[in-house]
Each structure stands twice: as C-alpha cells, then as structure tokens.
Amino acid sequence: MRTRSVMALDPLGFHRVVYHEWGDADNDRVLVCVHGLARNSRDFDELARALSRDYRVVCPDMPGRGKSDWLAPGVNYDIPRYLSDMATLLARLDVDQVDWIGTSMGGIIGTCLAALPNSPIRSLVLNDIGCFVGKAALQRIAEYLGDHRFDSVAAVEQYMRTTYTAYQGLSNKQWQHLARYGQRRISDGQYGLHYDPRIAEQSREIQDQDIDLEPVWSQVNCPQMLIWGDKSDVLTANTVERMQQLRPDMDLYRIPGMTHAPSLMETEQITAIQRWLRDNRVKNQGAKR
C-alpha cells in the first residue's frame, strides 16, 4: 500500500485529500473506492488487496475523515465539495477512465460523477445506496453521528459493534482493524471517532427531507452493479424495484438479512464484486472487437 495526497481547492483555501493506492502504479485499469458518511478509506483494505491483482486500486479519505484535512469553518461538507475533490483526485491519477465502488455516500458521489457528460466513470458499483433515500433513514443515521468520546480503543470497538449491525459477520481481527483506523486520540486516555464532528451537525440540517436522486441516476449510462442488504432502511425494496424497472440491465447482488451497509470485507461480498468487474471487463472487450 502506498499513501499519497493531493491538494484540493475550496472557497477559503486548500485542503489535503489523502488516498491509499494498491497494486501496480502503472496499471491503466484504475478502481476508485469511496467510503460512507462516517467511515474512511481503510474500510477497503481487504477488498483493495484482493482487487489489486487486476487493478490499481485507489481509496481516498474524503475531507473531514481519516487522514484527510478537516474543512475550515464556513466550508460545507456536501456533495458539490466532494465532487470537486474527486475531480482533483482523478486528474492526479492521470487516467481517462476509472471503475468506481461507492458505499452509501460514496455511491452518491459516484452516481453524480457518472451522470455528468463525458464522465470518466466506466462502471459503477453501488453499495446499498439507490436513487431514493427516505428521511427516516437519514434521521437514524444522524442519531448515531456526533462528537463521541471514549476511554480506550476497545471502547471504540464496542461502540462500532453496537452501531454497525451490518458488520455482524466480521471476525474479531476485522473489528479491531475498523476500531484502529476509525478512532483518533484526543488527549491522554481519551479517544474520538475519526471524523470531524461538524459532519454530524451538517447531517442533522438535512435529515428532515427525502433525498430523491432519480433525475440524476437516470442519466447514468455505464454498467452498474447494485449491492443490496435486503433489510436496509437506506436502500428499500421499493427503491430496488424502481431501479430495476428503469434499468433492467443493472446487476443486482442481494444479501439476505443484511442491514445498511454491507462491509465489503466478507469473502462472499469481495468475490461477488471481483467476479462482476471481471465479467464486465470481458463484455467490454468483446464489444470493442
């Protein structure tokens, strides 16, 4: 793994976006993996390791998370900012096209990029996020965000085990990995979660309205894989049905009994993504002949 950074511009100056790379740096097949609202790039370590045999895998920390800079007061954590930062990152990568895997918020960012004219997004994997998110799910997410404080990394891990119900299939080692990279030391003997608490504040400001992405998502023309935890409140059965009606060619990977959002750390999930990306690449190669 190689750790790098790029300086992105915001209305008040520059901020640093850190990203981790896996695989051959000269590979022109590039895969970008973007995490969810309160997560960070290290969620993708196992997936990136598996896919690095075929791809140059790039996993950024979105601003305010992980090793990336927190945005200055007065600069919002919002989709336009994330799109601008990812455009900067894509320019740094110096490739014409990328495949994209996005969990929740990362999927929204990928959708918005893929919907734009002349988009560099070649294929899109959406992890438990669709064209509509109801306000009840947004309110639930806003409830667990905040400036939480803990006495130990073990307490951080216990909080995560309680909060992230979709991760119940993970091993103790995987939970320890999430806790290690999901916390930050605030002072001697005190730890916080590895994101800017202002993200929680801004999330609460938009929790009282649905997010309707259908007009945007309908403009996406690249191949798509939709990963669905069928007990998810963020990606509901009604939304999945609607997306299938609009895009019958979209591939659906349904995970029975799974809540929001699949970790993409379990072997079955990694294998499903790996297989879809390979099959899609073969189809594209065949179409060009």
Side-chain angles (χ1 to χ4, degrees):
M1 184 184 77
R2 304 174 298 277
T3 299
R4 298 177 177 175
S5 65
V6 63
M7 299 302 292
L9 182 64
D10 63 57
L12 297 181
F14 287 90
H15 58 273
R16 188 173 60 111
V17 176
V18 172
Y19 60 98
H20 306 290
E21 278 195 27
W22 304 75
D24 184 354
D26 295 324
N27 191 344
D28 60 0
R29 293 200 302 269
V30 176
L31 174 67
V32 177
C33 302
V34 180
H35 57 78
L37 179 65
R39 303 302 310 147
N40 64 77
S41 63
R42 303 306 298 269
D43 288 0
F44 294 110
D45 279 9
E46 293 190 41
L47 180 67
R49 189 177 297 111
L51 295 175
S52 64
R53 292 188 289 269
D54 299 314
Y55 289 91
R56 174 188 173 196
V57 185
V58 178
C59 306
D61 282 327
M62 299 306 294
R65 291 88 166 173
K67 298 296 185 181
S68 289
D69 287 346
W70 291 9
L71 296 177
V75 181
N76 288 335
Y77 290 101
D78 54 24
I79 296 300
R81 170 62 38 225
Y82 303 147
L83 297 182
S84 176
D85 285 4
M86 290 301 95
T88 299
L89 174 61
L90 293 176
R92 162 63 65 84
L93 299 179
D94 193 25
V95 290
D96 294 330
Q97 289 187 311
V98 300
D99 297 286
W100 188 283
I101 298 175
T103 293
S104 198
M105 180 193 75
I108 294 177
I109 297 168
T111 296
C112 292
L113 288 173
L116 294 172
N118 303 314
S119 173
I121 308 299
R122 177 170 43 202
S123 70
L124 182 62
V125 178
L126 299 174
N127 183 22
D128 213 59
I129 192 70
C131 64
F132 182 86
V133 182
K135 62 182 180 181
L138 297 174
Q139 290 167 353
R140 177 189 62 78
I141 293 171
E143 286 177 0
Y144 71 72
L145 296 174
D147 190 10
H148 302 291
R149 303 297 174 96
F150 307 91
D151 294 331
S152 65
V153 176
V156 174
E157 180 182 333
Q158 185 56 48
Y159 166 82
M160 290 182 173
R161 285 176 180 263
T162 301
T163 303
Y164 299 121
T165 58
Y167 294 4
Q168 291 177 355
L170 299 187
S171 67
N172 288 335
K173 183 178 180 180
Q174 289 171 319
W175 279 113
Q176 291 163 7
H177 175 90
L178 290 174
R180 176 184 178 186
Y181 293 105
Q183 55 80 25
R184 57 188 170 90
R185 184 183 287 273
I186 297 173
S187 62
D188 289 344
Q190 192 172 47
Y191 301 84
L193 298 174
H194 220 321
Y195 59 81
D196 184 349
R198 203 155 57 85
I199 292 170
E201 298 169 10
Q202 294 186 4
S203 296
R204 293 188 186 99
E205 294 174 1
I206 62 170
Q207 67 176 345
D208 293 327
Q209 55 187 352
D210 300 329
I211 297 178
D212 185 1
L213 290 170
E214 186 173 313
V216 176
W217 178 76
S218 296
Q219 299 302 310
V220 176
N221 294 315
C222 67
Q224 296 180 67
M225 175 188 189
L226 181 63
I227 301 173
W228 176 35
D230 69 5
K231 298 299 182 184
S232 172
D233 61 344
V234 173
L235 179 60
T236 65
N238 287 340
T239 299
V240 172
E241 182 179 358
R242 175 64 175 166
M243 294 174 74
Q244 288 181 307
Q245 290 173 348
L246 294 173
R247 287 292 301 267
D249 58 334
M250 179 185 68
D251 291 293
L252 177 65
Y253 172 43
R254 177 177 182 172
I255 307 176
M258 179 71 69
T259 57
H260 181 79
S263 67
L264 308 188
M265 296 172 70
E266 298 187 42
T267 301
E268 296 82 359
Q269 297 169 21
I270 293 174
T271 299
I273 293 171
Q274 197 168 32
R275 183 183 302 116
W276 185 82
L277 289 169
R278 285 177 176 173
D279 289 349
N280 187 62
R281 189 169 72 243
V282 170
K283 288 180 184 178
N284 288 338
Q285 290 172 344
K288 292 177 182 179
R289 291 173 183 171

